Amino acid sequence: MFGSRPVRTRHVSAAVVTLALSPALCARAVPVAVADDGPDPARPVDIGGGRRVTLDCRGSGSPTVVLVSGAGGASDEWTHIVDAARPEAEPRPDPSAVLPEVARFTRVCAYDRPGTTRLDGTPNRSTPVTGPTTAAAGVEDLRATLAAAGEHPPYVLVGASWGAMIASLYARTEPARTAGLVTVDGASPFLKDTLTPAQWATWIDKIRSTNPGKGLETPDYPAAVRELRAAPAPPRGLPAVVLTSDRPWDLAVGGGSTWPAWLAAQRRLAEELRARHVTDTDSGHGIAVERPRLVARAIHDVVEQARAGQER
């Protein structure tokens, strides 16, 4: 997610310290063959340049919701849940997870970005690329994937953690194709301002120094911040919701707790987007797997606002 994949409550505080400390990311990503049939609804999409991206689309209706997972996270981040009463349990697929829940009221797609791993530690099924990766590169891949798959705008972009940087940049650079935006404890460009300079530098150094294997996703946060600040302002009147965790967690980069800085950056993100800010989430950083119905309700609200705007 933000710095890794905190899919179990007991992993959140430690796992978000940096990308490479995630158990899922510690497995080396090796490309595997993609089956074109079978019960798995995900399918490979040829995006050119000898590359394929695995895409999972379900449901029908407009606007289409596009789910953008956190750092290192594959599309199953949106099809699995964790049992809050049993934090030691493995994530499991469930019809109440975000993707199947959203498929009940509109078209929805999730995809495996290059270098991501599935919740069971197996490698992603998309063609790997060299890193680190930027938000702009993520937008280019997302644009190419949706076009190659024949998915039609407008889109409601939903970004968890690092995925919020990609979703936000897409909304800024593709306003005619964007119908709404939801961030799920999303990475905020304002974190660079709310952390102390020493905390920011230490955290970035950790990410750069702990990539556990070639081909694994390593976000370039400084580049993403520059890209977002250079992009046009968020579209006025864009339906948006910002979901923020309310169970404290920490980047553990020294100089005191980073939790207040995270909350301050979330507030500034909500203000910039003119978004409804939901802070009572009863969740850690992994809101999508811990409180999937809450996320689905936020998406439903944005979809309904988008539909009302289209009718007008």
Side-chain angles (χ1 to χ4, degrees):
M1 294 203 163
F2 187 57
S4 67
R5 306 195 63 187
V7 296
R8 301 179 204 167
T9 303
R10 66 190 175 100
H11 288 324
V12 174
S13 296
V16 294
V17 172
T18 184
L19 265 158
L21 298 185
S22 162
L25 289 176
C26 285
R28 294 186 177 271
V30 179
V32 296
V34 179
D36 292 335
D37 53 11
D40 187 351
R43 60 190 175 99
V45 175
D46 188 343
I47 64 171
R51 295 180 56 207
R52 296 196 301 179
V53 171
T54 302
L55 183 69
D56 181 350
C57 294
R58 309 180 196 181
S60 61
S62 180
T64 296
V65 172
V66 180
L67 305 172
V68 189
S69 58
S75 56
D76 61 343
E77 207 166 83
W78 305 99
T79 60
H80 286 57
I81 66 170
V82 293
D83 187 347
R86 299 176 60 240
E88 74 285 354
E90 295 289 337
R92 57 183 173 83
D94 193 273
S96 70
V98 174
L99 192 152
E101 192 74 27
V102 173
R104 293 186 173 93
F105 57 82
T106 197
R107 181 77 167 166
V108 57
C109 298
Y111 66 112
D112 293 350
R113 288 195 310 276
T116 58
T117 53
R118 299 181 70 78
L119 290 170
D120 62 4
T122 57
N124 76 84
R125 298 176 295 172
S126 298
T127 308
V129 298
T130 55
T133 185
T134 67
V139 168
E140 289 176 10
D141 279 0
L142 179 55
R143 186 187 297 117
T145 299
L146 293 171
E151 297 296 331
H152 301 292
Y155 306 116
V156 169
L157 282 300
V158 180
S161 199
W162 163 249
M165 303 287 267
I166 298 172
S168 296
L169 187 60
Y170 187 102
R172 290 167 180 259
T173 55
E174 296 280 0
R177 294 173 174 266
T178 304
L181 179 66
V182 178
T183 65
V184 186
D185 218 33
S188 165
F190 296 108
L191 191 62
K192 186 178 187 298
D193 305 317
T194 58
L195 287 174
T196 68
Q199 287 174 328
W200 174 261
T202 300
W203 182 58
I204 297 304
D205 286 345
K206 281 190 175 185
I207 293 175
R208 288 171 174 166
S209 65
T210 53
N211 185 351
K214 184 178 179 181
L216 296 183
E217 184 177 57
T218 305
D220 187 336
Y221 283 99
V225 170
R226 292 192 297 270
E227 290 162 352
L228 279 160
R229 290 181 173 173
R236 278 194 167 274
L238 183 73
V241 174
V242 169
L243 296 167
T244 299
S245 59
D246 56 4
R247 293 181 186 168
W249 55 272
D250 198 85
L251 290 171
V253 292
S257 172
T258 60
W259 176 243
W262 178 261
L263 295 181
Q266 291 286 294
R267 288 192 294 270
R268 291 181 63 177
L269 177 64
E271 290 167 2
E272 181 184 50
L273 296 174
R274 302 177 183 86
R276 179 166 66 90
H277 192 186
V278 179
T279 58
D280 183 12
T281 55
D282 190 26
S283 174
H285 187 53
I287 303 175
V289 292
E290 295 177 36
R291 295 293 309 282
R293 285 195 170 96
L294 177 67
V295 177
R297 284 198 299 271
I299 296 170
H300 183 269
D301 289 348
V302 170
V303 165
E304 288 302 306
Q305 289 179 59
R307 287 172 175 170
Q310 289 172 348
E311 290 173 0
R312 288 196 299 270

